Amino acid sequence: MNYLAPTSVEEATSLLAEQPGAVVFAGATDVIPQIRAGRPQPDTMVDLKKIDRLVGVAGNDQGWTIGAATPTARLTGNDELTAEFPGLSEAAGLIGSDQIQSRSSLGGNLCNASPAADSVPAMIVNGMRAVIASADGTRTIPVADVVTGPGSTSLADGEFIVEFELDRAPANTADAYLRIIPRTEMDIAIVGAGARITLDEAGNCAAATIALGAVAPTAVRVTDAEAALTGKPINDETLAAVVAAASAACNPIDDKRGTIAYRRQVAGVLAKRAVKAAAERAAATNGSNNGKSSNSPDLSNGAQ
Amino acid sequence: MSRTHLTCTINGDEVEFLTEADTSLLNALRDDVGLTGVKEGCGTGDCGACSIMLDGQLTNSCLVFAPEAQNADITTVEGLAESDVLHPLQQTFLEGAALQCGICTPGFLVAAKALLDNNPSPTETEVRYALAGNLCRCTGYDKIVRSVLDAAAAMNGASS
Amino acid sequence: MTVTEEPTLQPGYKQVGSRPIRPDGVEKVTGKARFGADLYLPGMLYGSVLRSPVAHAKIVSIDTTAAAQMPGVKAIVTGDDFPDLAASGGRPDQVFLSQNIIARDKVLYEGHVVAAVAAGSVKQAKAAADAIVVEYEAIDHVLTVDEAMADGAPLLHAGMITRGVDPAPEEPSNVANRIVHERGDLDKGFADADVVIEREYTTKPVHQGYIEPHAAVADVNLDGRASLWCSSQGHFSMRTLTASVLGWDASRLKVTPAEIGGGFGGKTTIYLEPLAVALSSKAGHPVKLVMNRDEVFKATGPASGTRIKVKMGVNNDGMLTAADIWMAFEAGAFPGSPVGAAGMTIIAPYDIPNFFVEGFDVVVNKPKVAAYRAPGAPMAAFAVESMVDELALAIDMDPVELRLKNAAIEGTQASYGPKFARIGFVETLEAIRDHDHYQAELGPNQGRGIASGFWFNAGMNSSATVHVNEDGNLTVLVGSPDIGGSRASMALMAAEVLGIGYERVNPIVADTEAVGFNDVTGGSRVTTATGAAVIQACETIKTDLLARAAKTWDVPIDEVEWVDGQAQHTKGSETPLSLAKLAAAWGRTGGPISATAALNSRGAGAGFSTQMCDVEVDPETGVVTVLRFTTAQDAGTAIHPSYVEGQMQGGVVQGIGWALNEEYVHNDDGTLANASFLDYRIPVASDLPMIDTVIVEVPNPAHPFGVRGVGETGIVPPLAAVANAVSAATGCRHLNLPMSPIVVLEAINQRNEKG
């Protein structure tokens, strides 16, 4: 096996164009276990972590740019990003132990394309975009369009994600991500739910995005749940509609981690809880999203 | 088949070694450098017995390709003591009976040190979540957690 | 000088009961300690094992030609390279062991060894193993006791006739053995009851989960003598078993114990050792074989899955009147589940006058089970302690009080036969009842569960040799691998007997050529039996020292006594003689000072534990959180309290995992779906609270320091303690383990539907 560590995007795209069997990696937290489990070992592994553009978190007035190979520990450790997008930060921080966090990345988590990936629902509800490079240049698509099925993405040969774009959150907006796992850490999500809520001056829901993970071949936007909330107060009645819509939106499987019935039922529960948490946080932002939101609820393991 | 030549700093010393490009850093440290303090409990990042510090970050060495270590700064359990003085964590682990068989101990010590370097006064809950990536089957974690808290107190100069 | 009798009780301690740092501790916190995979020898080759990908098949052919040509390959072995012990009249257990080490005609589980390769690197060995061509003819498989016992089930072993049934069945089956314990009159017992409850319980196979995979290094000399380095729970057993599989005399093999990274019973038997020796013999080089985690789950010795039916009766005064119990235990591919021990322990804590306990040992197409900490007892206790919980509720009696009313005490005839000597079961119940935890308030969705458990603890064979060095310090050689801090306990006991400081005793675990025979480190026997041997050897040395002092002073020996590490003349004023002084002069008093003791210990004392668990259950997701856990266990005398606490806590947490999230999950084709720590979910630090321990000390009259084994009893109650807590928190009785969120939510749904 050859190990290559390009130091620029151009160098990397040229390499990939020249060597069709080459595989990119960031933290290797999925690829190494997969090779141990029998995935054919690539002839060439291309380490993306020495490309400066791919590692780092930068924010300006328009929004954030997050390098695709940035260790997620740097996201959770970025106070400003975490204050503005607590759900995204939570989701990124749930990808494994502290040891994994120094290696896992949004790019890896997304492109590994596990239906249960924790960061994906949070990226989708926040409307993040992926900037993809190839020998022909770059193109930008919504994160929701990257994963096409379990283990597969819409990226063509020779392409890789360089960075993610995240627009600044509007006022009175906050997100949340919850998942259910049997233990308190170290497990793959049985169900994951991300929600982002914008409140109007009356405290009603002005906008909602809700996405579920681990309940379908890819993460699922629950547009019916969003519609049930938009323009309405967040109360028992609208939340009940969210629960029903979330359960209906699932297309889960039975596997060693959960059953169809369990996933459907708990998807509804988590969607409701994520909406409530996001709404509580949105209310606490006091109209601005540039400061820390206080009293952010602790959502470890899907708590209410 | 040709081997890769690597140079890096391990426990403060410059080290050169040969290994194969697809070898994990865990296996390279054990088989090619001769540092057997890192252990393979699973090889897939699920147990933490191979924990090292890699460029200042707590990492499972089983999930690192050896060539990534080129020019890196690595700390293993062998680098925790200062010549013949044990690190406070090593001392409290001994006093607190935080090890029974001892196979997970190197990984826990490296992870606990990483925690205390970032958070010198963790709560019990913070200790437990920080160490969730390290599996122990002998102790039930109780004495490990107590020993980490005792080390934190000692390092902060409080009486323990 | 060798003595074989057991020493008698001594009063008052100066060292025993303290908490010094263990002698092997610094090596373990600095990464210097060498475990099974940490040995590297010059010219060493690396091995890789080829294993069956299917659960049940005939081996039609094995072709190693291509593999033998591959780069770096020095040796390949298959079943043909090992003696056929069936043909040479081996005992059934020896035959089955040899067939588990490497398959002969059939593979009986996914992961069953088919061949092994030694080459210059792991990568080369694995590539060669993958190039071995094996033709299999698939046979239907059975994965559960139900499937294995069904009419028309495919047979794992042709001609296996159930033992323990009279008259013996005519037809073979997958039922290897039947055990029965009975007493009294079951019908009368149930007639006397005011409440009778019948339930069926199931548990899934679980793994001991030791963090260190199995590893062995073998080095066979051209003269045929061989060395083996391996981590195990007993290097003498490794020697005996390995030699038996190879058809060798045991003494041809020298086994050196590595440090062991956890065993819990799973390392009391062999897997890689004969393969490594056979490969080294063929290759003419040392060979290292190390399992990966996948292999550990698929091909070592998990604990049995079980089905247990319990019918018990109680009267309104709280007396248990009758117990009718049926058990089926999965043995895995070869006979030998712990159903026998389960049958002996299942109602042993209680004095029940009428009972019938019947158990079946059933083979299935899974790895052969091995011991796991009190083998058989946790599953048995899960069933009966859950039943006792329901009986207490049915007659509105406090669960501790119900157990107190029926508790076995000194003189009770145990359900499995002998009369109990002095035991501490009642004391553990009282410790729980009187603990703050018992009165603590519970909140919404929270529940508390109580359970008790018993384990016999073993005595068995141990040898120890003690030398006094010329500086007066002691070397204590034992043959029991140290899996929980036993070296420290040996040193404490030696220091106590000879009245010297703990730091002057150097306890080492010696190889099979340096110390006499020792049975395994298991059965909670080391502090008891090896401790007894160490104590006896030290007593012998003490007597010898008194004689040498008497000779030095030219006085009768009955005028000399040993006080605080020195010989003193009771009738004179000579300066006392310390160990160091006597050692310095040993040339004049008879030569070097040393003693060996070898004994078969009958001094084991039964162990009891009572435990209490609080949980909270999320009613919308079924996730269970353990909030608080208290365990009370009778240790007899705690030689080193920190290590006694450690054994208690470790057993509890394994039991919590067994109750909540650990299980083997099989695909329909008989392959294992969760052979990794990702999906075989042992508890992590954030899952747990502190485990509060109460060490109860009811000294064991048969041990010089009153010791009772503590390693195993702690894992017996927690399955039921957690299940009773979850049942209380949810209002749903849980009869099946593990109680994963899926299972718990389903139970809550059903309760909600019933309204």
Side-chain angles (χ1 to χ4, degrees):
Chain A
M1 189 194 91
N2 290 320
Y3 166 89
L4 299 171
T7 53
S8 71
V9 172
E10 293 68 35
E11 194 187 337
T13 54
S14 306
L15 260 170
L16 294 174
E18 284 157 28
Q19 301 190 44
V23 168
V24 300
F25 76 99
T29 59
D30 288 314
V31 69
I32 288 182
Q34 286 165 0
I35 292 171
R36 274 183 80 105
R39 168 179 170 173
Q41 186 168 279
D43 293 330
T44 302
M45 295 297 301
V46 178
D47 186 350
L48 296 174
K49 300 190 294 297
K50 310 279 201 241
I51 304 174
D52 286 345
R53 187 170 165 196
L54 268 71
V55 182
V57 181
N60 62 27
D61 291 339
Q62 275 66 57
W64 297 87
T65 305
I66 300 173
T70 310
T72 46
R74 286 175 61 166
L75 304 184
T76 58
N78 186 311
D79 291 339
E80 205 191 324
L81 179 71
T82 299
E84 192 180 343
F85 297 98
L88 175 66
S89 181
E90 265 153 2
L94 285 171
I95 305 169
S97 60
D98 284 9
Q99 287 89 338
I100 298 292
Q101 285 285 305
S102 67
R103 302 276 289 175
S104 52
S105 63
L106 294 183
N109 197 230
L110 177 65
C111 293
N112 185 51
S114 159
D118 285 309
S119 69
V120 177
M123 287 202 275
I124 288 175
V125 301
N126 283 301
M128 287 173 73
R129 298 178 295 278
V131 176
I132 298 166
S134 70
D136 300 329
T138 63
R139 64 188 181 94
T140 303
I141 63 173
V143 162
D145 292 348
V146 171
V147 177
T148 54
S152 63
T153 68
S154 61
L155 268 58
D157 289 339
E159 288 191 313
F160 62 93
I161 300 183
V162 171
E163 65 207 8
F164 294 95
E165 294 173 350
L166 168 62
D167 296 332
R168 285 279 173 182
N172 301 311
T173 301
D175 65 346
Y177 176 79
L178 294 166
R179 67 176 187 178
I180 286 296
I181 52 174
R183 297 180 289 183
T184 54
E185 271 284 347
M186 303 298 279
D187 288 331
I188 301 295
I190 309 177
V191 181
R196 172 162 136 166
I197 300 290
T198 301
L199 297 175
D200 64 23
E201 284 120 25
N204 295 330
C205 174
T209 45
I210 300 169
L212 298 170
V215 296
T218 64
V220 176
R221 272 286 290 281
V222 193
T223 47
D224 288 349
E226 297 166 2
L229 287 173
T230 308
K232 309 242 182 50
I234 298 176
N235 59 25
D236 287 347
E237 192 190 327
T238 53
L239 285 172
V242 166
V243 169
S247 292
C250 295
N251 183 16
I253 57 170
D254 286 330
D255 68 9
K256 63 194 169 205
R257 297 175 187 137
T259 59
I260 293 169
Y262 184 84
R263 287 182 160 116
R264 259 192 213 291
Q265 182 172 349
V266 175
V269 172
L270 283 193
K272 172 185 73 177
R273 292 182 183 180
V275 164
K276 284 173 78 170
E280 254 173 76
R281 287 171 172 169
T285 61
N286 295 323
S288 113
N289 282 70
N290 290 326
K292 291 193 181 17
S293 49
S294 57
N295 303 320
S296 202
D298 170 14
L299 300 180
S300 44
N301 205 16
Q304 304 231 28
Chain B
M1 167 172 48
S2 67
R3 316 234 295 160
T4 303
H5 175 265
L6 296 169
T7 308
C8 59
T9 303
I10 304 179
N11 299 326
D13 296 326
E14 187 176 283
V15 176
E16 280 186 61
F17 60 100
L18 290 175
T19 189
E20 297 193 21
D22 59 357
T23 300
S24 67
L25 182 55
L26 166 63
N27 285 331
L29 286 169
R30 288 177 54 82
D31 301 341
D32 301 311
V33 179
L35 288 170
T36 58
V38 280
K39 308 296 181 194
E40 175 169 322
C42 71
T44 50
D46 300 311
C47 79
C50 66
S51 298
I52 59 170
M53 298 301 289
L54 177 63
D55 289 332
Q57 301 298 310
L58 179 68
T59 306
N60 287 320
S61 58
C62 70
L63 294 183
V64 179
F65 287 109
E68 297 185 60
Q70 178 64 15
N71 296 329
D73 183 18
I74 294 171
T75 305
T76 67
V77 69
E78 289 93 340
L80 292 186
E82 302 256 343
S83 55
D84 64 345
V85 178
L86 293 177
H87 187 280
L89 278 164
Q90 290 168 310
Q91 189 62 40
T92 58
F93 266 53
L94 288 174
E95 289 165 2
L99 54 144
Q100 289 181 30
C101 78
I103 193 84
C104 71
T105 304
F108 266 98
L109 287 169
V110 172
K113 180 174 184 298
L115 166 67
L116 295 184
D117 286 347
N118 287 330
N119 182 356
S121 297
T123 63
E124 179 190 334
T125 302
E126 287 172 330
V127 172
R128 289 182 178 279
Y129 275 89
L131 298 180
N134 290 79
L135 299 183
C136 174
R137 197 56 160 166
C138 291
T139 66
Y141 305 103
D142 181 296
K143 291 182 187 299
I144 292 175
V145 172
R146 290 182 200 273
S147 296
V148 174
L149 292 169
D150 286 346
M155 288 162 72
N156 292 332
S159 56
S160 46
Chain C
M1 162 172 22
T2 304
V3 186
T4 55
E5 286 150 14
E6 295 205 67
T8 52
L9 200 68
Q10 302 180 11
Y13 308 125
K14 293 194 170 132
Q15 308 257 13
V16 159
S18 62
R19 299 177 187 248
I21 290 180
R22 57 196 288 170
D24 54 320
V26 172
E27 290 173 4
K28 289 188 169 165
V29 298
T30 55
K32 283 196 164 151
R34 291 202 299 177
F35 293 84
D38 295 334
L39 182 69
Y40 294 78
L41 293 178
M44 189 173 78
L45 302 174
Y46 293 82
S48 182
V49 179
L50 178 69
R51 298 175 181 278
S52 168
V54 295
H56 196 191
K58 272 217 296 252
I59 298 178
V60 176
S61 65
I62 305 177
D63 185 356
T64 60
T65 357
Q69 313 292 335
M70 290 184 61
V73 173
K74 297 292 188 196
I76 302 180
V77 295
T78 66
D80 290 342
D81 292 291
F82 294 80
D84 179 351
L85 296 186
S88 58
R91 291 191 319 262
D93 59 289
Q94 290 173 320
V95 173
F96 289 137
L97 174 65
S98 70
Q99 291 174 350
N100 194 36
I101 293 300
I102 189 160
R104 314 299 162 115
D105 305 324
K106 289 175 79 172
V107 289
L108 290 164
Y109 56 98
E110 183 206 16
H112 199 170
V113 176
V114 175
V117 178
S121 70
V122 172
K123 206 164 139 182
Q124 287 177 334
K126 180 157 194 324
D130 289 345
I132 298 175
V133 181
V134 185
E135 201 188 326
Y136 297 102
E137 192 181 289
I139 307 172
D140 278 345
H141 57 271
V142 288
L143 295 179
T144 64
V145 295
D146 302 331
E147 288 174 11
M149 295 169 91
D151 288 333
L155 296 184
L156 274 75
H157 302 279
M160 186 160 86
I161 301 288
T162 312
R163 290 178 299 130
V165 178
D166 186 22
E170 284 169 15
E171 295 300 318
S173 71
N174 289 317
V175 182
N177 196 20
R178 170 180 176 268
I179 55 99
V180 171
H181 298 278
E182 56 186 325
R183 183 180 295 164
D185 180 340
L186 214 50
D187 290 334
K188 177 182 183 308
F190 284 120
D192 288 345
D194 292 310
V195 173
V196 175
I197 301 182
E198 250 186 284
R199 296 280 182 251
E200 230 174 280
Y201 305 86
T202 65
T203 71
K204 292 284 176 59
V206 295
H207 195 271
Q208 300 83 347
Y210 34 82
I211 306 302
E212 180 207 27
H214 300 251
V217 179
D219 188 8
V220 181
N221 290 335
L222 292 177
D223 66 2
R225 299 191 67 82
S227 299
L228 183 60
W229 159 284
C230 58
S231 76
S232 77
Q233 289 179 244
H235 38 302
F236 285 89
S237 291
M238 300 302 106
R239 183 177 76 161
T240 305
L241 298 173
T242 301
S244 129
V245 171
L246 295 167
W248 288 12
D249 288 336
S251 56
R252 192 174 148 192
L253 188 55
K254 169 183 172 179
V255 185
T256 302
E259 295 299 330
I260 171 175
F264 316 108
K267 289 185 181 157
T268 57
T269 185
I270 52 172
Y271 297 101
L272 299 173
E273 292 75 3
L275 303 175
V277 174
L279 285 169
S280 176
S281 183
K282 261 195 171 181
H285 289 275
V287 173
K288 176 191 266 187
L289 262 177
V290 181
M291 283 200 193
N292 61 41
R293 180 55 53 183
D294 185 79
E295 292 173 297
V296 173
F297 278 119
K298 286 180 176 164
T300 57
S304 306
T306 68
R307 179 178 291 284
I308 300 178
K309 305 182 199 181
V310 178
K311 177 179 170 187
M312 277 176 76
V314 69
N315 66 27
N316 287 326
D317 296 328
M319 304 313 295
L320 297 170
T321 60
D324 184 7
I325 296 170
W326 179 100
M327 304 182 291
F329 272 55
E330 292 175 25
F334 300 95
S337 78
V339 68
M344 293 167 79
T345 60
I346 192 164
I347 49 171
Y350 306 111
D351 188 2
I352 304 179
N354 309 291
F355 59 81
F356 185 79
V357 175
E358 184 183 29
F360 295 93
D361 185 38
V362 182
V363 293
V364 295
N365 292 107
K366 293 179 183 172
K368 158 83 178 58
V369 302
Y372 179 14
R373 222 165 188 170
M379 310 79 140
F382 164 60
V384 165
E385 292 296 303
S386 298
M387 171 61 72
V388 168
D389 197 53
E390 284 206 73
L391 293 171
L393 287 166
I395 60 170
D396 199 21
M397 182 174 282
D398 173 270
V400 173
E401 198 191 329
L402 176 55
R403 289 175 171 87
L404 280 167
K405 281 188 185 281
N406 293 276
I409 56 174
E410 183 173 5
T412 302
Q413 190 187 7
S415 59
Y416 59 96
K419 282 205 160 66
F420 280 120
R422 182 78 176 91
I423 52 176
F425 181 29
V426 164
E427 286 80 349
T428 69
L429 287 164
E430 290 169 342
I432 289 297
R433 181 196 61 195
D434 299 339
H435 195 284
D436 288 343
H437 181 176
Y438 203 56
Q439 306 304 328
E441 292 226 349
L442 289 167
N445 299 311
Q446 296 181 356
R448 178 167 299 145
I450 310 283
S452 297
F454 157 81
W455 188 247
F456 332 78
N457 299 324
M460 297 162 58
N461 299 296
S462 281
S463 307
T465 300
V466 180
H467 303 300
V468 180
N469 296 287
E470 57 264 50
D471 55 9
N473 291 332
L474 291 183
T475 304
V476 174
L477 291 100
V478 297
S480 298
D482 183 354
I483 56 178
S486 52
R487 266 176 291 218
S489 301
M490 299 304 125
L492 278 168
M493 290 186 277
E496 187 73 50
V497 172
L498 285 166
I500 59 172
Y502 165 84
E503 69 289 347
R504 293 180 52 196
V505 181
N506 178 24
I508 65 173
V509 182
D511 65 51
T512 55
E513 291 181 349
V515 72
F517 185 87
N518 280 264
D519 278 316
V520 292
T521 292
S524 310
R525 62 175 291 277
V526 170
T527 313
T528 302
T530 302
V534 168
I535 292 164
Q536 185 62 71
C538 289
E539 293 282 6
T540 305
I541 285 180
K542 196 190 323 182
T543 306
D544 185 9
L545 292 167
L546 294 174
R548 291 169 189 251
K551 182 171 178 172
T552 304
W553 294 323
D554 194 21
V555 302
I557 191 169
D558 58 14
E559 289 179 15
V560 187
E561 59 180 22
W562 190 262
V563 179
D564 290 338
Q566 304 183 108
Q568 292 182 359
H569 185 195
T570 54
K571 296 215 168 109
S573 58
E574 288 87 343
T575 312
L577 289 169
S578 65
L579 247 175
K581 290 222 180 84
L582 287 162
W586 69 34
R588 296 197 293 277
T589 56
I593 307 172
S594 98
T596 291
L599 46 79
N600 185 320
S601 169
R602 309 253 179 244
F608 288 86
S609 172
T610 300
Q611 303 180 359
M612 170 163 48
C613 175
D614 290 354
V615 303
E616 181 171 316
V617 180
D618 183 331
E620 289 186 312
T621 65
V623 173
V624 176
T625 303
V626 176
L627 299 173
R628 189 169 177 184
F629 206 108
T630 304
T631 171
Q633 186 169 333
D634 179 13
T637 300
I639 302 294
H640 191 311
S642 301
Y643 290 110
V644 171
E645 291 160 357
Q647 291 300 310
M648 293 165 69
Q649 293 165 332
V652 161
V653 170
Q654 285 179 314
I656 290 173
W658 200 327
L660 290 179
N661 283 311
E662 292 181 39
E663 60 177 317
Y664 267 49
V665 178
H666 280 85
N667 300 312
D668 290 337
D669 66 1
T671 58
L672 187 59
N674 63 334
S676 77
F677 276 134
L678 177 62
D679 286 304
Y680 183 86
R681 302 185 195 98
I682 76 172
V684 298
S686 44
D687 292 342
L688 299 162
M690 296 296 184
I691 308 296
D692 293 323
T693 57
V694 179
I695 300 178
V696 170
E697 287 182 306
V698 176
N700 169 15
H703 185 278
F705 290 128
V707 161
R708 296 179 196 275
V710 294
E712 292 170 286
T713 307
I715 201 178
V716 180
L719 282 63
V722 178
N724 290 338
V726 173
S727 300
T730 58
C732 310
R733 175 59 54 178
H734 279 273
L735 305 175
N736 305 295
L737 296 181
M739 296 173 290
S740 67
I742 289 84
V743 166
V744 174
L745 187 62
E746 179 53 31
I748 291 172
N749 287 343
Q750 287 183 10
R751 181 204 67 194
N752 290 341
E753 265 162 47
K754 290 191 191 135

